[in-house]
């Protein structure tokens, strides 16, 4: 009898524990659900502010399912994007994503790369493309070099970059060597010591922009840019950063422009979260230095360009629509 009472008590205790666990789980689930809805609302609100079609009359719908189909995104960091009509495309990176193969290709184009700019009608540094027609001009200039369709673009100014990093509570990078760089705004000099280092937004911006003290010049700078982008993605998708995401998304509205439709923006975020540990292949644009009429340029190697084009076209071939879903790139042009 005594044994039976103990057994009943144990069962009741287990039952209460199960109920308590279930209650806590439901409360957590409700909290996450409410948070998820808040993120969704913030994303939807921000996306209406940042959406900007390439064609003022509105772009035709692209036949792309971002969760399934390969796509390309041109990432452009613009200096003085919203304060000066003649802003420069200081950072130009082409991202090619294939959700089916779980592969990502990242190509950084050095800012001094000499390329034909259709809106200028001549060859010039790619960094000047933005000041001759905005993002459309930069896309056309990239297409003169890289012969694959550019489905989407994302631009941000430097202030937006700083705010995103600060909203995440900073990022951690592995500094390859000790160097000094000047901070924007205060113009103070900051020392970046070799090894792991925590950076705030202002410091992260100086870290990715420095190139004169880098023995590898633009290539070293491009590697640091990729490093910081990876750090931002890792931080933004970590569980500890979830409460900060609504602040990040709210900040995007004032500093980011993209032609990713509001209806696809959540799919874009989903793909990034899903592929944050994907195999990322960094493509290197080989070339050589040359001074023309007293101006320094980086001249792309034709064989390197051809190899990159082939790699990216193969990455997009898993979808037959990839190479026909947007206007064909400009023909490789004049000398």
């Amino acid at each position: 009898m005594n044994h039976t009472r103990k057994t009943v008590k144990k069962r009741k205790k287990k039952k209460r524990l199960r109920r308590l666990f279930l209650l806590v789980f439901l409360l957590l689930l409700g909290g996450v659900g409410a948070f998820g809805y808040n993120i969704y609302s913030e994303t939807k609100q921000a996306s209406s502010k940042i959406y900007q079609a390439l064609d003022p009359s509105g772009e035709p719908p692209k036949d792309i399912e971002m969760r399934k189909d390969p796509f390309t995104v041109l990432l452009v960091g613009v200096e003085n994007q919203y304060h000066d009509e003649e802003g420069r495309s200081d950072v130009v990176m082409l991202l090619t994503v294939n959700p089916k193969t779980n592969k990502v290709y990242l190509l950084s184009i050095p800012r001094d790369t000499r390329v034909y700019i259709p809106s200028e009608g001549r060859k010039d540094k790619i960094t000047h493309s933005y000041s001759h027609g905005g993002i459309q001009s930069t896309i056309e200039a990239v297409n003169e070099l890289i012969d694959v369709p550019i489905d989407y673009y994302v631009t941000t100014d430097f202030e937006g970059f700083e705010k995103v990093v600060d909203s995440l509570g900073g990022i951690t990078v592995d500094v390859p060597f000790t160097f000094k760089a000047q901070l924007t705004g205060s113009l103070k000099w900051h020392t970046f010591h070799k090894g792991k280092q925590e950076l705030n937004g202002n410091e992260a911006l100086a870290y990715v922009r420095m190139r004169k003290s880098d023995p590898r010049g633009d290539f070293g700078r491009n590697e640091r840019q990729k490093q910081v982008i990876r750090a931002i993605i890792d931080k933004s998708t970590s569980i500890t950063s979830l409460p900060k995401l609504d602040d990040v998304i709210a900040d995007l509205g004032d500093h980011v422009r993209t032609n990713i439709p509001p209806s696809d923006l959540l799919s874009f975020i989903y793909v990034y979260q899903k592929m944050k540990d994907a195999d990322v292949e960094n493509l290197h644009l080989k070339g050589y230095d040359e001074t023309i009429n007293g101006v320094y340029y980086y001249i792309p190697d034709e064989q390197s360009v051809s190899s990159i084009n082939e790699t990216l076209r193969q990455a997009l071939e898993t979808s037959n629509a990839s190479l026909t879903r947007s206007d064909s790139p400009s023909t490789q042009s004049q000398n």
Side-chain angles (χ1 to χ4, degrees):
M1 183 73 174
N2 188 39
H3 175 72
T4 306
R5 283 177 185 163
K6 284 183 179 179
T7 304
V8 170
K9 283 182 179 179
K10 283 182 180 179
R11 285 176 181 171
K12 285 183 177 179
K13 188 176 181 181
K14 285 181 179 179
K15 197 172 183 180
R16 283 198 300 269
L17 286 172
R18 283 197 297 268
R19 285 177 178 172
L20 180 61
F21 176 78
L22 182 61
L23 178 62
V24 171
F25 176 76
L26 288 173
L27 285 172
L28 286 173
L29 189 62
V32 171
F35 176 76
Y37 177 76
N38 184 47
I39 290 293
Y40 173 78
S41 301
E42 290 280 1
T43 304
K44 194 173 181 181
Q45 186 177 10
S47 64
S48 63
K49 291 178 68 177
I50 69 178
Y51 180 72
Q52 184 174 302
L54 288 173
D55 183 346
S57 63
E59 294 176 287
K62 295 176 183 289
D63 186 23
I64 301 174
E65 263 191 90
M66 297 185 97
R67 299 190 184 206
K68 297 179 181 179
D69 298 328
F71 60 90
T72 57
V73 185
L74 187 67
L75 307 173
V76 181
V78 183
E79 188 176 14
N80 301 323
Q81 179 172 205
Y82 306 119
H83 307 289
D84 185 344
E85 290 183 359
E86 297 188 354
R88 292 178 297 176
S89 44
D90 192 67
V91 177
V92 180
M93 304 176 80
L94 182 61
L95 189 71
T96 303
V97 180
N98 191 323
K100 288 184 179 179
T101 60
N102 203 40
K103 286 208 70 172
V104 177
Y105 300 84
L106 189 57
L107 170 68
S108 290
I109 303 175
R111 53 174 287 158
D112 292 324
T113 300
R114 190 169 186 260
V115 62
Y116 181 76
I117 301 177
S119 58
E120 271 194 78
R122 64 186 179 93
K123 284 198 169 186
D124 198 353
K125 295 183 179 185
I126 199 165
T127 188
H128 296 154
S129 61
Y130 194 88
S131 61
H132 293 272
I135 187 61
Q136 179 68 56
S137 176
T138 299
I139 288 174
E140 290 172 357
V142 172
N143 272 156
E144 288 292 325
L145 182 69
I146 307 302
D147 190 21
V148 296
I150 295 175
D151 300 309
Y152 304 107
Y153 76 85
V154 177
T155 69
T156 182
D157 59 7
F158 293 151
E159 187 180 349
F161 174 85
E162 288 187 38
K163 283 191 173 184
V164 167
V165 173
D166 286 335
S167 295
L168 289 171
I171 57 172
T172 302
V173 297
D174 192 358
V175 181
F177 57 91
T178 300
F179 66 89
K180 287 185 178 181
Q182 200 168 25
L183 302 175
T184 56
S186 68
L187 300 182
K188 292 180 180 179
W189 288 89
H190 179 81
T191 301
F192 295 87
H193 298 281
K194 182 179 180 179
K196 299 274 185 181
Q197 193 168 341
E198 289 275 342
L199 304 180
N200 62 28
N202 196 222
E203 293 163 351
L205 179 60
Y207 181 73
V208 299
R209 295 194 71 193
M210 188 284 291
R211 61 176 180 152
K212 290 185 178 179
S213 299
D214 195 314
R216 299 179 64 208
D218 258 336
F219 284 105
R221 182 174 182 260
N222 291 344
E223 289 303 313
R224 280 179 279 113
Q225 289 170 0
K226 294 171 184 175
Q227 185 187 36
V228 166
I229 285 176
R230 169 62 71 179
I232 290 173
I233 291 173
D234 289 346
K235 188 72 178 282
S236 62
T237 54
S238 80
I239 191 70
T240 56
S241 295
L242 285 178
K244 303 169 186 173
L245 278 184
D246 53 350
D247 293 330
V248 175
I249 292 169
D251 284 337
L252 292 180
D254 294 325
H255 303 282
V256 173
R257 294 293 176 267
T258 182
N259 66 332
I260 298 175
S263 57
D264 289 339
L265 195 58
L266 284 173
S267 291
F268 183 65
I269 294 172
Y270 168 84
V271 170
Y272 255 95
Q273 289 176 330
K274 180 186 174 187
M275 300 187 67
K276 69 171 185 172
D277 296 320
D279 180 15
V280 179
E281 184 173 338
N282 292 316
L283 303 178
H284 300 282
L285 179 64
K286 296 178 182 178
Y288 57 92
D289 303 330
E290 186 171 316
T291 300
I292 302 173
N293 297 325
V295 179
Y296 164 77
Y297 294 96
Y298 182 73
I299 310 298
D301 177 75
E302 289 185 11
Q303 224 173 2
S304 177
V305 171
S306 178
S307 175
I308 290 170
N309 281 331
E310 182 62 25
T311 297
L312 295 184
R313 289 181 73 85
Q314 285 182 7
L316 296 170
E317 271 179 5
T318 54
S319 171
N320 292 330
S322 324
L323 300 178
T324 58
R325 62 183 171 235
S326 59
D327 292 338
S328 58
S330 306
T331 306
Q332 299 293 323
S333 289
Q334 298 97 321
N335 295 321

